[in-house]
Amino acid sequence: MSLFVAIEGLDGSGQSTQTRLLRKWFLSMGEKCLATKEPTSGLIGGLIRAQLTGEWKSNPEALQLLFAADRAVHLDKDVLPALDSGIHVITDRYLFSSIAYGMVNLDEKWLKQINSQFRIPDITIYLKVSPEECFGRLKRGRSRLELFEREDYLKRVHENFMMLSREYKNFFIVDGEKSINEVHENIINLVKKLME
Ligand code: TYD
């Protein structure tokens, strides 16, 4: 059975590295795997990115509707077809990002409602890195920061992710402040358990 894995975390928590390593691990096991990401690189993803960088401003509700629209197309065109043909899928960010980031200033119920038709991953991993550490990594790595990349905002997003981990099934927290390899090993152990 193909697995649908979501890797979540604050900006700068290392999701893209861990997504890449997990895909390599699936391949080394002789399994097929698609590594993908939200926001996507499609047209709707482009509208989202323009808002994150400040190039274009709409409003917070419109941004959330775009995240959901991007997700609907992502599922329909990439994720579900892959899962249906026996390919494991790892997504770097998914609907929990919408809820955790969005509910800092929007209604939680509404955010859950506009995401309610989307498939829940078989396993979700939250890479737990302190908001202070994430913000430090972002400042070192980027000349300009995006919309949500503020320390006070990330603190609240972190609390929201912790709340979601208690609410949803198969939502695990992995210490993202360990070495890249240790984090990878911990993720593999969780995935292996689920595959057994
Ligand atoms: P990010 O993974 O940081 O993209 P990149 O590493 O390419 O810059 O995601 C962009 C931002 O969008 C990040 O701050 C999290 C936020 N986000 C949401 O608020 N809701 C969502 O549904 C998604 C997918 C991302």
Side-chain angles (χ1 to χ4, degrees), residues 8-12 15-16 37-40 48-49 52 63-64 67-68 70-71 92-102 115 138 142 146-149 153-154:
E8 296 279 9
L10 300 180
D11 303 68
Q15 303 115 263
S16 60
K37 154 169 214 341
E38 290 187 4
T40 69
I48 294 170
R49 199 141 291 289
L52 295 175
L63 176 59
Q64 291 305 329
F67 276 126
D70 189 42
R71 184 160 301 128
D92 168 355
R93 294 198 183 281
Y94 192 53
L95 58 81
F96 300 106
S97 277
S98 283
I99 304 169
Y101 281 78
N115 283 284
L138 288 172
R142 306 235 176 121
E146 293 187 346
L147 187 63
F148 301 126
E149 297 175 347
Y153 199 96
L154 293 182

Side-chain angles (χ1 to χ4, degrees), residues 24-161:
K24 264 175 84 181
W25 177 78
F26 272 120
L27 298 182
S28 75
M29 302 288 289
E31 305 272 331
K32 289 184 180 161
C33 178
L34 169 74
T36 184
K37 154 169 214 341
E38 290 187 4
T40 69
S41 55
L43 210 53
I44 306 173
L47 290 174
I48 294 170
R49 199 141 291 289
Q51 294 193 59
L52 295 175
T53 56
E55 248 172 286
W56 174 51
K57 278 203 175 68
S58 63
N59 82 344
E61 285 83 0
L63 176 59
Q64 291 305 329
L65 292 167
L66 286 171
F67 276 126
D70 189 42
R71 184 160 301 128
V73 179
H74 188 211
L75 278 166
D76 204 32
K77 289 211 170 147
D78 302 318
V79 177
L80 299 178
L83 291 171
D84 287 345
S85 50
I87 301 172
H88 302 293
V89 175
I90 314 163
T91 182
D92 168 355
R93 294 198 183 281
Y94 192 53
L95 58 81
F96 300 106
S97 277
S98 283
I99 304 169
Y101 281 78
M103 66 184 271
V104 172
N105 44 30
L106 293 170
D107 181 55
E108 179 185 346
K109 265 205 200 115
W110 179 71
L111 291 163
K112 286 182 174 166
Q113 194 189 349
I114 60 172
N115 283 284
S116 63
Q117 297 305 305
F118 303 136
R119 181 149 155 186
I120 298 291
D122 300 306
I123 179 167
T124 300
I125 290 157
Y126 175 64
L127 298 178
K128 184 175 174 227
V129 176
S130 77
E132 295 79 9
E133 171 65 20
C134 285
F135 192 66
R137 289 183 192 178
L138 288 172
K139 273 200 304 194
R140 284 193 294 277
R142 306 235 176 121
S143 53
R144 285 188 60 198
L145 296 174
E146 293 187 346
L147 187 63
F148 301 126
E149 297 175 347
R150 293 196 336 250
E151 194 173 337
D152 57 335
Y153 199 96
L154 293 182
K155 274 190 183 150
R156 298 180 63 185
V157 175
H158 170 68
E159 281 158 22
N160 296 338
F161 271 123

